[in-house]
Amino acid sequence: MDWRTIAARELQAMGGFASPWLRPAFHAVDREAFAPARFWSQTTDADGLHQVIDRGRDEEAWRQAVWDNHHSLIVQMDDGRTPLDGPARGDYSSSISAPDIVFRKLHALDLKPGHRVLHIGTASGYDTALLCERVGSDNVTSIEYDPGLAAWGADNLRAAGYTPTLVHGNGLDGWKTSAPYDRIIATCAVRDIPAAWRHQAADGALILAPYNTLYARGALLRLRVEDSVASGRFTGAAWYMWARQHRPKPELHPGQDAHHEASVIHPDQIFGRDWQADFALGLHIPDISFAHRGQGADRQVQLWDAAGTSVAIVNYQSWYARDAVAVYGQRNLWAEAVNAHTTWRTAGSPHYTRYGLTIDDSGTRLWLDDPANQQDTAPDTAPPPP
């Protein structure tokens, strides 16, 4: 089967070539040249394991997976600690993104010939090559944190004839040497926009990055920069692995003393919704994480803050009882979650794409529909400098 042609037809039907330059770029950059001979499938089997797809054992299956528009190719787990020698489970730490999100992001980037581009997360080099097709190698700077991935991506790009500026380093620091940039695009998720990106952006530049809160993940943030102030909306879904310096670090030390109280709302009213609602709600409480435990009458939800100094545990059963909520630490995280839910519901349960952020040297401000309509959030959530 000609899987490349099939992928092109499907992308066309999905609107993947919304910008005219994307179709010729798709055909010019051979995705197979950037895919390793072995990788893990994004989907899992009945045991929850990611199966290895090996070109040497089944080239047809390998090629079909490479050109699958909807699934990424997992090329590294657990920062390389999990060997790629068989079925495995673990945390993705590098992948080649599925074409559907790659081309949707490139369209949102509004890229013009001659733009100077900073790309965060080189990995295989596939996205970098597509950027080179639009603006030329001399105008692209691409940064990769992992040394092994940086070397692999550089080899792939060189073999394919692309010569962008390649940097092995921390992409959150940007790269001053090539600045200012007209476009900055990330292929990893952040929970705060690094100041270096704003300060290395030209006036009128766009920043496009997958954005997560600790509460929920999965949206694409598009910001316009003027005088190092970045402002813009969430534009759609984008599920990416964390930038390594922004990964959550759940180390809890809230103390042993608990305050008990009744809940004013059934937990399912907050947690029984889809991810879009979770993401919108999480924008109000971005430094709070949660996880469920137990079943039936023992079902509980636990919330904790980024600092690990406050925790709340809420019982689903008899949520109205005087001891249904246990609060540890100085912050009442359940009260904050309830207040955020009330704010969101009172506003009409707005979709997350109605929210935006304005970011400057004083911090990050959340707004709804218009930057003038600022919204309340939890305490400062920016992760510490790496």
Side-chain angles (χ1 to χ4, degrees), residues 92 120 256:
Y92 313 164
I120 313 300
Q256 299 298 315

Side-chain angles (χ1 to χ4, degrees), residues 10 14 21 51 88 111 122 156 159 219 255 258 262 318 320 360 374-375:
E10 186 184 27
M14 293 190 302
W21 72 271
Q51 294 293 317
L111 198 58
T122 313
N156 291 341
S318 301
Y320 43 80
D360 58 22
Q374 291 191 25
Q375 303 291 295

